[in-house]
Structure formats: structure tokens, C-alpha cells
């Protein structure tokens, strides 16, 4: 894998991880990208609230992905990694022989492939983040503010992946709350007129105090 393709692959891993972190139905308690002490086959390692561990491999390519490739990746994942659940995520063009959704070997879940489009992944993340913040009782943020937060979170996840560090959910929620409050909700200082950066995340209808 070349330098540009490798860098894109790590970025996609971080963005895919963030999308799953923000899902309503994802009861995760800890996550690591490129985790230490794991097989190189594991790109993302999830630990859920009930103690289950899921090993995920993310395969992205601009070239067509064939079913024999998918089957080989799935077999290698199960053979080399110990986990309660396995998932293989495909990003890019796939041959018609690749099932739209499958369970290979009765163990490895393969969801429908996604298109290789970084912009689309950012927009999906921003949409999910908007819902996630609403669940945390934050009022609506503008689209540009959401994308700003997404970029920051992806960068932080990318940094964690270079060290194989584990991120706990409480720490993630704390970081997200801190950034959101400091960037978009703190009132302007006396020397800072209304309408500057501190107010950039809200529309004119979003000036209610935080619950």
C-alpha cells in the first residue's frame, strides 16, 4: 500500500470509528484503533457495556474488491484474533459476487459495502453528531460547527491510532462536552462583541442557556 493510500486508509478507519461511536444503538464502553497487543488484522477493537469484545477490520480500496478477497480477509481475521464478535467493513467498489450483507463462516459479519467518499463520511458523521449532541441536551449547532467538531474528533482518533491507545466512553463524552461548551456556548468576553467565534455555533434561535 502506497503512502497516500495508507494515509487515506488510516483516515477512513478514524471516520468509520467515529460514525459507530455516535450511533444510538452502539453501547460501547471503550474503543481502540490499531490496538496494541493485537494482531495486525484488527483495525478497531470495541468493548461493550456487557464485556463483549468485537474485532473489526476495515478494508478500503479504489480498485474492485472481489469475493475471494473478502472470504480470505474474513478467514484470516477469525484465525488470528480472539474476540466475541467479528466484523469486516468494505469501503470501495465491490464485484457483483460480493453479497450485500453476509455472515462468512458463521462468524464474520459483512455489512453492505460503502462508497469510498471521504466527504460523504464527514457529512454522515456531522449528522450523527447532531443527534448525539441532542441526546446530551445541547441545542442545535450550525452545519459548519458540526463539521468543525467532526474534524477535531477524527484528528484525535487518528492520534490515538498512532499510539494504539484505548479511548473510554466517559472520556470521549467529556472531551466532546468540553469542546462544544468552550467553542460554541461560552458567552463572549466584554471585549468580544456578540457574533464572533464564541457565538458561531448557534443560530439566532439558539441562545437559550444550556439545560
Amino acid at each position: 500500500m502506497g503512502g497516500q493510500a495508507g494515509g487515506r486508509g488510516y483516515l477512513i478507519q478514524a471516520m468509520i470509528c467515529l460514525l459507530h461511536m455516535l450511533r444510538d444503538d452502539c453501547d460501547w464502553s471503550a474503543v481502540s484503533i490499531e490496538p496494541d497487543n493485537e494482531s495486525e488484522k484488527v483495525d478497531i477493537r470495541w468493548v461493550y457495556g456487557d464485556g463483549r469484545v468485537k474485532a473489526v477490520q476495515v478494508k478500503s480500496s479504489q480498485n474492485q474488491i472481489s469475493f475471494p478477497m473478502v472470504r480470505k480477509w474474513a478467514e484470516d481475521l477469525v484465525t488470528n484474533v480472539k474476540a466475541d464478535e467479528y466484523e469486516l467493513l468494505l469501503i470501495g467498489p465491490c464485484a457483483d459476487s460480493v453479497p450485500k450483507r453476509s455472515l462468512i463462516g458463521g462468524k464474520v459479519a459483512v455489512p453492505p459495502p460503502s462508497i469510498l467518499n471521504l466527504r460523504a463520511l464527514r457529512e454522515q458523521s456531522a449528522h450523527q453528531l447532531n443527534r448525539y449532541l441532542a441526546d446530551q441536551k445541547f441545542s442545535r449547532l450550525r452545519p459548519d460547527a458540526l463539521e468543525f467538531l467532526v474534524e477535531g474528533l477524527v484528528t484525535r482518533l487518528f492520534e490515538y491510532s498512532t499510539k494504539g491507545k484505548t479511548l473510554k466512553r466517559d472520556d470521549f463524552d467529556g472531551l466532546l462536552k468540553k469542546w462544544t461548551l468552550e467553542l460554541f456556548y461560552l458567552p463572549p468576553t466584554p471585549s468580544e462583541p456578540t457574533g464572533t467565534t464564541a457565538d458561531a455555533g448557534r443560530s439566532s434561535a439558539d441562545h437559550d442557556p444550556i439545560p
Side-chain angles (χ1 to χ4, degrees), residues 104-121:
I104 296 180
K107 292 184 177 181
V108 183
V110 184
S114 301
I115 61 172
L116 182 58
N117 186 323
L118 293 178
R119 181 62 190 172
L121 288 174

Side-chain angles (χ1 to χ4, degrees), residues 48-203:
Y48 294 99
D50 59 4
R52 287 177 298 116
V53 174
K54 181 164 75 172
V56 179
Q57 190 172 43
V58 181
K59 288 295 186 180
S60 60
S61 177
Q62 292 179 317
N63 301 317
Q64 189 176 76
I65 298 171
S66 67
F67 183 66
M69 295 166 65
V70 173
R71 184 170 53 201
K72 179 68 164 55
W73 292 332
E75 291 172 351
D76 287 347
L77 184 60
V78 172
T79 300
N80 292 280
V81 180
K82 183 178 180 180
D84 300 300
E85 299 177 17
Y86 301 90
E87 188 172 56
L88 177 62
L89 300 178
L90 306 176
I91 315 293
C94 293
D96 292 339
S97 58
V98 176
K100 298 305 179 185
R101 181 185 296 273
S102 61
L103 188 67
I104 296 180
K107 292 184 177 181
V108 183
V110 184
S114 301
I115 61 172
L116 182 58
N117 186 323
L118 293 178
R119 181 62 190 172
L121 288 174
R122 289 191 185 95
E123 290 175 350
Q124 291 174 39
S125 297
H127 177 71
Q128 287 288 94
L129 179 59
N130 191 36
R131 296 178 58 180
Y132 194 87
L133 288 172
D135 289 341
Q136 302 293 322
K137 308 304 181 184
F138 283 96
S139 54
R140 180 172 55 87
L141 294 179
R142 291 195 330 226
D144 58 339
L146 291 167
E147 292 197 14
F148 185 82
L149 284 172
V150 165
E151 292 288 347
L153 292 169
V154 167
T155 299
R156 180 58 59 91
L157 290 173
F158 185 82
E159 291 173 355
Y160 269 56
S161 73
T162 63
K163 303 173 184 178
K165 292 178 62 177
T166 296
L167 177 62
K168 295 181 179 179
R169 183 162 195 160
D170 288 345
D171 293 334
F172 171 75
D173 285 340
L175 177 66
L176 179 57
K177 181 177 180 180
K178 179 177 182 289
W179 284 0
T180 304
L181 288 173
E182 290 182 351
L183 292 172
F184 305 116
Y185 283 92
L186 289 181
T189 63
S191 60
E192 185 179 347
T194 301
T196 56
T197 303
D199 201 48
R202 295 177 288 177
S203 68

Side-chain angles (χ1 to χ4, degrees), residues 1-13 60-62 116 118:
M1 181 182 293
Q4 288 186 351
R8 184 185 65 237
Y10 289 124
L11 179 59
I12 288 173
Q13 286 178 17
S60 60
S61 177
Q62 292 179 317
L116 182 58
L118 293 178

